[in-house]
Amino acid sequence: MLKNTGQSVIAFMICIFAYSGGVSAEPTEVKDDGFESLFNGKDLTGWTPKIRGKEFGEDPKNTFRVKDGVIQVRYDNYDTFDRQFGHLFLDKIDYSHYIFRLEYRFIGEEQVAGNPGGWAYMNSGVMIHGEDPKTMKVDKEFPDSIEVQLLGQKEGGPERSTANICTPGTHYVLDGKLMKGHCKNSTSKTFRGEQWVQLEIEVHGSKRIIHRVNGEVVFDYEKPQLNDGTLLEQGSISLQSESHELDFRNIEIKVLEK
């Protein structure tokens, strides 16, 4: 933790030199709590989209955009969704031990036409320990990854937890048991309407992962792995688009010692 202004200046200079090596992200000052911003609030510098059916870097319908200091997921340029699942990838893809946090909110109660159905209602996610997006096939819907599933709910709807776990191409261990089911609910409460929710993901390589919602632990598991048993020590991080509009803001990371 930085204790004074002088140390903050040093950290800022270190950030500048770190990013001068070709990584396409603007340098940002490390906060006193050790977190570094991953989103400059102005544009998608440091992030690259991958939309199903399009090459990496192509987003012709402007699914991911920036307005009023937030990253928006929008479908006003879509006639139909047609399983065009999207992921906005951080350009740095080798994070291993870290705490990643952001705030999100779902917008409205309507999905774009041609959506996958009720399961995708107020549904998005943060993908961690993911594959390199440059290796994804054009028509692949989701990267092999651990998905921290984000769910919302309308007023009056049934209870629906968030920060759940889903596993495209992966497994994990919970209470000593290898879990092969696709999704499992967390212990979080239900968040309704367009309220902002803080998500925090604490990752310790292939050993342990913890999900927190508004500061409360709601999931704790270990040994993230590919379906063939290969442990996942590091990987890409991406934000998801699954047919319901939403916003992301205050996207930050704190790198932890191994």
PDB file of all heavy atoms in Angstrom, residues 213-233:
ATOM      1  N   VAL A 213     -19.792  -9.954  -3.772  1.00  0.00           N
ATOM      2  CA  VAL A 213     -20.790  -9.014  -4.273  1.00  0.00           C
ATOM      3  C   VAL A 213     -21.025  -7.959  -3.198  1.00  0.00           C
ATOM      4  O   VAL A 213     -21.375  -8.298  -2.057  1.00  0.00           O
ATOM      5  CB  VAL A 213     -22.109  -9.732  -4.620  1.00  0.00           C
ATOM      6  CG1 VAL A 213     -23.170  -8.721  -5.033  1.00  0.00           C
ATOM      7  CG2 VAL A 213     -21.878 -10.743  -5.735  1.00  0.00           C
ATOM      8  N   ASN A 214     -20.783  -6.711  -3.562  1.00  0.00           N
ATOM      9  CA  ASN A 214     -20.893  -5.613  -2.594  1.00  0.00           C
ATOM     10  C   ASN A 214     -20.132  -5.922  -1.309  1.00  0.00           C
ATOM     11  O   ASN A 214     -20.593  -5.626  -0.197  1.00  0.00           O
ATOM     12  CB  ASN A 214     -22.359  -5.297  -2.296  1.00  0.00           C
ATOM     13  CG  ASN A 214     -23.067  -4.664  -3.480  1.00  0.00           C
ATOM     14  OD1 ASN A 214     -22.446  -4.278  -4.469  1.00  0.00           O
ATOM     15  ND2 ASN A 214     -24.384  -4.558  -3.394  1.00  0.00           N
ATOM     16  N   GLY A 215     -18.957  -6.540  -1.477  1.00  0.00           N
ATOM     17  CA  GLY A 215     -18.070  -6.820  -0.352  1.00  0.00           C
ATOM     18  C   GLY A 215     -18.326  -8.124   0.375  1.00  0.00           C
ATOM     19  O   GLY A 215     -17.545  -8.503   1.262  1.00  0.00           O
ATOM     20  N   GLU A 216     -19.357  -8.857   0.015  1.00  0.00           N
ATOM     21  CA  GLU A 216     -19.714 -10.097   0.709  1.00  0.00           C
ATOM     22  C   GLU A 216     -19.301 -11.313  -0.117  1.00  0.00           C
ATOM     23  O   GLU A 216     -19.596 -11.397  -1.319  1.00  0.00           O
ATOM     24  CB  GLU A 216     -21.223 -10.140   0.955  1.00  0.00           C
ATOM     25  CG  GLU A 216     -21.706 -11.408   1.628  1.00  0.00           C
ATOM     26  CD  GLU A 216     -23.211 -11.448   1.808  1.00  0.00           C
ATOM     27  OE1 GLU A 216     -23.859 -10.403   1.561  1.00  0.00           O
ATOM     28  OE2 GLU A 216     -23.742 -12.513   2.164  1.00  0.00           O
ATOM     29  N   VAL A 217     -18.617 -12.284   0.512  1.00  0.00           N
ATOM     30  CA  VAL A 217     -18.222 -13.518  -0.171  1.00  0.00           C
ATOM     31  C   VAL A 217     -19.468 -14.325  -0.495  1.00  0.00           C
ATOM     32  O   VAL A 217     -20.279 -14.634   0.389  1.00  0.00           O
ATOM     33  CB  VAL A 217     -17.263 -14.357   0.696  1.00  0.00           C
ATOM     34  CG1 VAL A 217     -16.983 -15.703   0.032  1.00  0.00           C
ATOM     35  CG2 VAL A 217     -15.950 -13.607   0.923  1.00  0.00           C
ATOM     36  N   VAL A 218     -19.615 -14.700  -1.778  1.00  0.00           N
ATOM     37  CA  VAL A 218     -20.790 -15.470  -2.201  1.00  0.00           C
ATOM     38  C   VAL A 218     -20.415 -16.783  -2.899  1.00  0.00           C
ATOM     39  O   VAL A 218     -21.285 -17.605  -3.159  1.00  0.00           O
ATOM     40  CB  VAL A 218     -21.690 -14.632  -3.134  1.00  0.00           C
ATOM     41  CG1 VAL A 218     -22.214 -13.403  -2.403  1.00  0.00           C
ATOM     42  CG2 VAL A 218     -20.955 -14.231  -4.408  1.00  0.00           C
ATOM     43  N   PHE A 219     -19.108 -16.969  -3.189  1.00  0.00           N
ATOM     44  CA  PHE A 219     -18.646 -18.215  -3.804  1.00  0.00           C
ATOM     45  C   PHE A 219     -17.154 -18.360  -3.546  1.00  0.00           C
ATOM     46  O   PHE A 219     -16.416 -17.371  -3.596  1.00  0.00           O
ATOM     47  CB  PHE A 219     -18.900 -18.215  -5.327  1.00  0.00           C
ATOM     48  CG  PHE A 219     -19.367 -19.528  -5.888  1.00  0.00           C
ATOM     49  CD1 PHE A 219     -20.507 -19.611  -6.652  1.00  0.00           C
ATOM     50  CD2 PHE A 219     -18.653 -20.696  -5.652  1.00  0.00           C
ATOM     51  CE1 PHE A 219     -20.952 -20.815  -7.183  1.00  0.00           C
ATOM     52  CE2 PHE A 219     -19.085 -21.911  -6.159  1.00  0.00           C
ATOM     53  CZ  PHE A 219     -20.237 -21.975  -6.929  1.00  0.00           C
ATOM     54  N   ASP A 220     -16.708 -19.597  -3.270  1.00  0.00           N
ATOM     55  CA  ASP A 220     -15.304 -19.858  -2.952  1.00  0.00           C
ATOM     56  C   ASP A 220     -14.988 -21.271  -3.429  1.00  0.00           C
ATOM     57  O   ASP A 220     -15.589 -22.239  -2.949  1.00  0.00           O
ATOM     58  CB  ASP A 220     -15.092 -19.725  -1.439  1.00  0.00           C
ATOM     59  CG  ASP A 220     -13.618 -19.752  -1.027  1.00  0.00           C
ATOM     60  OD1 ASP A 220     -12.785 -20.259  -1.807  1.00  0.00           O
ATOM     61  OD2 ASP A 220     -13.316 -19.279   0.080  1.00  0.00           O
ATOM     62  N   TYR A 221     -14.084 -21.415  -4.394  1.00  0.00           N
ATOM     63  CA  TYR A 221     -13.792 -22.720  -4.963  1.00  0.00           C
ATOM     64  C   TYR A 221     -12.324 -22.794  -5.370  1.00  0.00           C
ATOM     65  O   TYR A 221     -11.571 -21.826  -5.191  1.00  0.00           O
ATOM     66  CB  TYR A 221     -14.702 -23.002  -6.164  1.00  0.00           C
ATOM     67  CG  TYR A 221     -14.682 -21.923  -7.223  1.00  0.00           C
ATOM     68  CD1 TYR A 221     -13.903 -22.036  -8.370  1.00  0.00           C
ATOM     69  CD2 TYR A 221     -15.467 -20.776  -7.086  1.00  0.00           C
ATOM     70  CE1 TYR A 221     -13.885 -21.046  -9.341  1.00  0.00           C
ATOM     71  CE2 TYR A 221     -15.461 -19.781  -8.041  1.00  0.00           C
ATOM     72  CZ  TYR A 221     -14.668 -19.921  -9.166  1.00  0.00           C
ATOM     73  OH  TYR A 221     -14.655 -18.935 -10.122  1.00  0.00           O
ATOM     74  N   GLU A 222     -11.898 -23.915  -5.922  1.00  0.00           N
ATOM     75  CA  GLU A 222     -10.473 -24.097  -6.214  1.00  0.00           C
ATOM     76  C   GLU A 222     -10.269 -24.918  -7.493  1.00  0.00           C
ATOM     77  O   GLU A 222     -11.208 -25.432  -8.085  1.00  0.00           O
ATOM     78  CB  GLU A 222      -9.777 -24.782  -5.039  1.00  0.00           C
ATOM     79  CG  GLU A 222     -10.336 -26.145  -4.694  1.00  0.00           C
ATOM     80  CD  GLU A 222      -9.699 -26.757  -3.456  1.00  0.00           C
ATOM     81  OE1 GLU A 222      -8.729 -26.166  -2.942  1.00  0.00           O
ATOM     82  OE2 GLU A 222     -10.151 -27.823  -3.018  1.00  0.00           O
ATOM     83  N   LYS A 223      -9.018 -24.972  -7.897  1.00  0.00           N
ATOM     84  CA  LYS A 223      -8.545 -25.788  -9.018  1.00  0.00           C
ATOM     85  C   LYS A 223      -9.350 -25.584 -10.312  1.00  0.00           C
ATOM     86  O   LYS A 223      -9.865 -26.549 -10.895  1.00  0.00           O
ATOM     87  CB  LYS A 223      -8.518 -27.263  -8.631  1.00  0.00           C
ATOM     88  CG  LYS A 223      -7.529 -27.564  -7.508  1.00  0.00           C
ATOM     89  CD  LYS A 223      -7.484 -29.044  -7.167  1.00  0.00           C
ATOM     90  CE  LYS A 223      -6.487 -29.298  -6.046  1.00  0.00           C
ATOM     91  NZ  LYS A 223      -6.458 -30.718  -5.639  1.00  0.00           N
ATOM     92  N   PRO A 224      -9.445 -24.358 -10.818  1.00  0.00           N
ATOM     93  CA  PRO A 224     -10.050 -24.160 -12.139  1.00  0.00           C
ATOM     94  C   PRO A 224      -9.241 -24.907 -13.186  1.00  0.00           C
ATOM     95  O   PRO A 224      -8.009 -24.888 -13.162  1.00  0.00           O
ATOM     96  CB  PRO A 224      -9.963 -22.645 -12.335  1.00  0.00           C
ATOM     97  CG  PRO A 224      -8.795 -22.220 -11.488  1.00  0.00           C
ATOM     98  CD  PRO A 224      -8.830 -23.112 -10.289  1.00  0.00           C
ATOM     99  N   GLN A 225      -9.910 -25.568 -14.113  1.00  0.00           N
ATOM    100  CA  GLN A 225      -9.210 -26.440 -15.052  1.00  0.00           C
ATOM    101  C   GLN A 225     -10.001 -26.611 -16.335  1.00  0.00           C
ATOM    102  O   GLN A 225     -11.225 -26.450 -16.357  1.00  0.00           O
ATOM    103  CB  GLN A 225      -8.951 -27.807 -14.427  1.00  0.00           C
ATOM    104  CG  GLN A 225     -10.199 -28.498 -13.944  1.00  0.00           C
ATOM    105  CD  GLN A 225      -9.916 -29.677 -13.029  1.00  0.00           C
ATOM    106  OE1 GLN A 225      -9.782 -30.825 -13.486  1.00  0.00           O
ATOM    107  NE2 GLN A 225      -9.829 -29.396 -11.737  1.00  0.00           N
ATOM    108  N   LEU A 226      -9.284 -26.931 -17.398  1.00  0.00           N
ATOM    109  CA  LEU A 226      -9.945 -27.300 -18.640  1.00  0.00           C
ATOM    110  C   LEU A 226     -10.617 -28.655 -18.472  1.00  0.00           C
ATOM    111  O   LEU A 226     -10.323 -29.398 -17.525  1.00  0.00           O
ATOM    112  CB  LEU A 226      -8.935 -27.342 -19.788  1.00  0.00           C
ATOM    113  CG  LEU A 226      -8.288 -26.013 -20.173  1.00  0.00           C
ATOM    114  CD1 LEU A 226      -7.219 -26.243 -21.237  1.00  0.00           C
ATOM    115  CD2 LEU A 226      -9.337 -25.013 -20.674  1.00  0.00           C
ATOM    116  N   ASN A 227     -11.496 -29.002 -19.390  1.00  0.00           N
ATOM    117  CA  ASN A 227     -12.213 -30.274 -19.277  1.00  0.00           C
ATOM    118  C   ASN A 227     -11.293 -31.487 -19.307  1.00  0.00           C
ATOM    119  O   ASN A 227     -11.670 -32.562 -18.834  1.00  0.00           O
ATOM    120  CB  ASN A 227     -13.246 -30.382 -20.404  1.00  0.00           C
ATOM    121  CG  ASN A 227     -14.434 -29.475 -20.173  1.00  0.00           C
ATOM    122  OD1 ASN A 227     -14.596 -28.898 -19.111  1.00  0.00           O
ATOM    123  ND2 ASN A 227     -15.262 -29.329 -21.186  1.00  0.00           N
ATOM    124  N   ASP A 228     -10.085 -31.307 -19.847  1.00  0.00           N
ATOM    125  CA  ASP A 228      -9.142 -32.431 -19.877  1.00  0.00           C
ATOM    126  C   ASP A 228      -8.311 -32.520 -18.599  1.00  0.00           C
ATOM    127  O   ASP A 228      -7.417 -33.362 -18.499  1.00  0.00           O
ATOM    128  CB  ASP A 228      -8.218 -32.337 -21.102  1.00  0.00           C
ATOM    129  CG  ASP A 228      -7.312 -31.112 -21.081  1.00  0.00           C
ATOM    130  OD1 ASP A 228      -7.301 -30.369 -20.067  1.00  0.00           O
ATOM    131  OD2 ASP A 228      -6.592 -30.891 -22.081  1.00  0.00           O
ATOM    132  N   GLY A 229      -8.580 -31.655 -17.626  1.00  0.00           N
ATOM    133  CA  GLY A 229      -7.879 -31.703 -16.356  1.00  0.00           C
ATOM    134  C   GLY A 229      -6.694 -30.764 -16.240  1.00  0.00           C
ATOM    135  O   GLY A 229      -6.095 -30.661 -15.168  1.00  0.00           O
ATOM    136  N   THR A 230      -6.350 -30.057 -17.303  1.00  0.00           N
ATOM    137  CA  THR A 230      -5.240 -29.107 -17.253  1.00  0.00           C
ATOM    138  C   THR A 230      -5.615 -27.929 -16.368  1.00  0.00           C
ATOM    139  O   THR A 230      -6.588 -27.220 -16.642  1.00  0.00           O
ATOM    140  CB  THR A 230      -4.895 -28.595 -18.666  1.00  0.00           C
ATOM    141  OG1 THR A 230      -4.573 -29.703 -19.510  1.00  0.00           O
ATOM    142  CG2 THR A 230      -3.711 -27.634 -18.609  1.00  0.00           C
ATOM    143  N   LEU A 231      -4.847 -27.712 -15.301  1.00  0.00           N
ATOM    144  CA  LEU A 231      -5.133 -26.612 -14.399  1.00  0.00           C
ATOM    145  C   LEU A 231      -4.903 -25.274 -15.088  1.00  0.00           C
ATOM    146  O   LEU A 231      -3.979 -25.126 -15.892  1.00  0.00           O
ATOM    147  CB  LEU A 231      -4.251 -26.713 -13.145  1.00  0.00           C
ATOM    148  CG  LEU A 231      -4.562 -27.883 -12.209  1.00  0.00           C
ATOM    149  CD1 LEU A 231      -3.540 -27.916 -11.070  1.00  0.00           C
ATOM    150  CD2 LEU A 231      -5.966 -27.791 -11.640  1.00  0.00           C
ATOM    151  N   LEU A 232      -5.744 -24.302 -14.768  1.00  0.00           N
ATOM    152  CA  LEU A 232      -5.650 -22.969 -15.363  1.00  0.00           C
ATOM    153  C   LEU A 232      -4.947 -22.037 -14.391  1.00  0.00           C
ATOM    154  O   LEU A 232      -5.501 -21.660 -13.355  1.00  0.00           O
ATOM    155  CB  LEU A 232      -7.036 -22.446 -15.696  1.00  0.00           C
ATOM    156  CG  LEU A 232      -7.772 -23.195 -16.818  1.00  0.00           C
ATOM    157  CD1 LEU A 232      -9.220 -22.738 -16.901  1.00  0.00           C
ATOM    158  CD2 LEU A 232      -7.069 -22.986 -18.148  1.00  0.00           C
ATOM    159  N   GLU A 233      -3.730 -21.658 -14.712  1.00  0.00           N
ATOM    160  CA  GLU A 233      -2.930 -20.786 -13.863  1.00  0.00           C
ATOM    161  C   GLU A 233      -3.137 -19.320 -14.202  1.00  0.00           C
ATOM    162  O   GLU A 233      -3.018 -18.448 -13.343  1.00  0.00           O
ATOM    163  CB  GLU A 233      -1.449 -21.141 -14.004  1.00  0.00           C
ATOM    164  CG  GLU A 233      -0.503 -20.323 -13.139  1.00  0.00           C
ATOM    165  CD  GLU A 233      -0.686 -20.555 -11.646  1.00  0.00           C
ATOM    166  OE1 GLU A 233      -1.236 -21.613 -11.278  1.00  0.00           O
ATOM    167  OE2 GLU A 233      -0.293 -19.678 -10.857  1.00  0.00           O
TER     168      GLU A 233
END
